[in-house]
Amino acid sequence: MTTEALLRDLRRELHDGGLRGCLLVRDLHTGEELGIDPETPLPAASLVKVPLALATAERIRRGELDGGTVLDVEPGRITTPGPTGLSRFRHPARIAIDDLLYLSTCVSDGTAADALFDVTPPARVAAVLQELGLRGMTVRHGMRELSDTPVERFDTDQAHLAHALAIDAGTSGRGHRVPQLDTTRANTGSARAWVELLQALWTPSTIHPEVAGRVRDLMAHNMLRHRLAPDFSSDATTWSSKTGTLLNLRHEIGVVEHSDGRAFAVAVLTESLVPAAVQPGAEALMAACARRLHDHLRQL
């Protein structure tokens, strides 16, 4: 199959599956890449925890922070489905910055991330990205804003109403009545921007090797492995990643490293057009499309 035919097929499959997708797969050694709408910015959701981890680790390296510093963290007390870790705690906890990094990145704990954002505010994270020459990502707010969406205002059996609002209330310019989905107000990034970040983490770049290794290790221990991991994990590969989920958004970025030494960065950002909270078919479709792009690129 030609590259053009493959891209047409994938666009059709995504459309038929009720997804708008922005994908990019890049060979980290040759720079060759294949993608679908990779320049389109979308709200980042929990993907922003990777720049947060990078900025925190860089500040620890510079001596601005001590990873062993213990912080008092108020419980999240969130009861709606989805949030993990401290976000579901009922009582205060005392946790070191290093351990908050683990919870934020590997468990996608929003309360842990906000504790880190309190130490390194969004503007400081954005400044670190700027200093390192990493473009295309905006960091405007912490995670608390993501826990106050329409889905929290409906009963569980009415979650489809929140998703219907997320699907229907956008504008052609990617504005949105739901602030967390408005690209002029939310944390954002394109598939290309996320792949550039992965490239900088996995190959020599302006990121200090110690910091890059720390973030790679965190992503390697990501515990949320229901989305792309089934198509990229095997005894002959290592899959390191971070997911992001918000209303009708389902994202994942990661790097697959093969036993033959080849490595590919993968970014899959999607918007569902189906008003339902649980969509295992969408998760499987995302992974299948990303895998086909990867396999085609690997054979070129």
Side-chain angles (χ1 to χ4, degrees):
M1 178 180 289
T2 66
T3 298
E4 293 75 13
L6 172 65
L7 295 178
R8 281 197 305 270
D9 276 1
L10 293 181
R11 286 180 184 276
R12 184 174 61 252
E13 289 178 18
L14 289 165
H15 179 270
D16 292 347
L19 289 178
R20 282 195 292 256
C22 302
L23 296 79
L24 187 64
V25 178
R26 178 185 295 172
D27 185 322
L28 290 180
H29 298 299
T30 68
E32 294 183 339
E33 60 184 35
L34 286 175
I36 295 173
D37 298 332
E39 312 291 349
T40 302
L42 288 176
S46 285
L47 296 185
V48 76
K49 293 169 184 171
V50 179
L52 172 62
L54 169 60
T56 304
E58 172 63 15
R59 294 190 66 207
I60 291 172
R61 184 192 71 82
R62 295 176 183 178
E64 298 173 9
L65 297 175
D66 181 347
T69 298
V70 176
L71 304 179
D72 292 319
V73 183
E74 291 299 311
R77 296 194 180 98
I78 295 176
T79 58
T80 52
T84 58
L86 298 172
S87 298
R88 306 192 77 84
F89 273 32
R90 298 183 179 185
H91 306 285
R94 303 192 73 224
I95 304 179
I97 289 175
D98 280 335
D99 296 325
L100 289 168
L101 265 176
Y102 166 76
L103 290 172
S104 171
T105 313
C106 304
V107 188
S108 204
D109 182 341
T111 297
D114 274 330
L116 294 175
F117 271 126
D118 287 342
V119 174
T120 304
R124 185 72 178 96
V125 175
V128 171
L129 294 177
Q130 186 79 10
E131 292 166 17
L132 296 172
L134 296 167
R135 307 284 188 266
M137 294 164 286
T138 59
V139 184
R140 297 183 172 109
H141 60 76
M143 307 309 296
R144 293 183 185 92
E145 288 82 350
L146 301 187
S147 63
D148 184 24
T149 71
V151 77
E152 281 77 36
R153 300 169 196 176
F154 290 101
D155 293 335
T156 303
D157 60 357
Q158 295 180 312
H160 64 283
L161 298 176
H163 285 262
L165 177 62
I167 294 165
D168 296 334
T171 70
S172 59
R174 307 210 69 81
H176 208 287
R177 288 171 57 192
V178 178
Q180 296 87 343
L181 299 179
D182 186 333
T183 56
T184 67
R185 292 186 280 179
N187 301 323
T188 64
S190 65
R192 182 172 302 284
W194 295 115
V195 164
E196 292 289 348
L197 174 59
L198 295 172
Q199 175 102 45
L201 288 168
W202 259 262
T203 62
S205 72
T206 56
I207 301 175
H208 191 280
E210 176 187 325
V211 174
R214 179 77 183 276
V215 178
R216 290 197 306 269
D217 182 68
L218 289 167
M219 294 181 69
H221 288 89
N222 176 26
M223 296 182 65
L224 302 181
R225 305 184 68 80
H226 63 292
R227 192 161 285 164
L228 301 191
D231 280 71
F232 285 100
S233 298
S234 74
D235 288 347
T237 62
T238 300
W239 175 245
S240 306
S241 66
K242 181 72 192 76
T243 59
T245 309
L246 177 67
L247 292 170
N248 66 323
L249 302 180
R250 289 173 176 80
H251 307 328
E252 186 159 355
I253 61 171
V255 170
V256 57
E257 298 172 85
H258 297 279
S259 58
D260 64 3
R262 298 188 70 180
F264 296 80
V266 181
V268 183
L269 315 180
T270 71
E271 298 173 294
S272 176
L273 303 177
V274 179
V278 180
Q279 297 185 45
E283 317 274 3
L285 179 58
M286 291 172 60
C289 289
R291 182 69 199 211
R292 288 183 64 190
L293 280 176
H294 162 277
D295 291 350
H296 189 82
L297 185 59
R298 197 177 185 197
Q299 293 167 7
L300 290 179

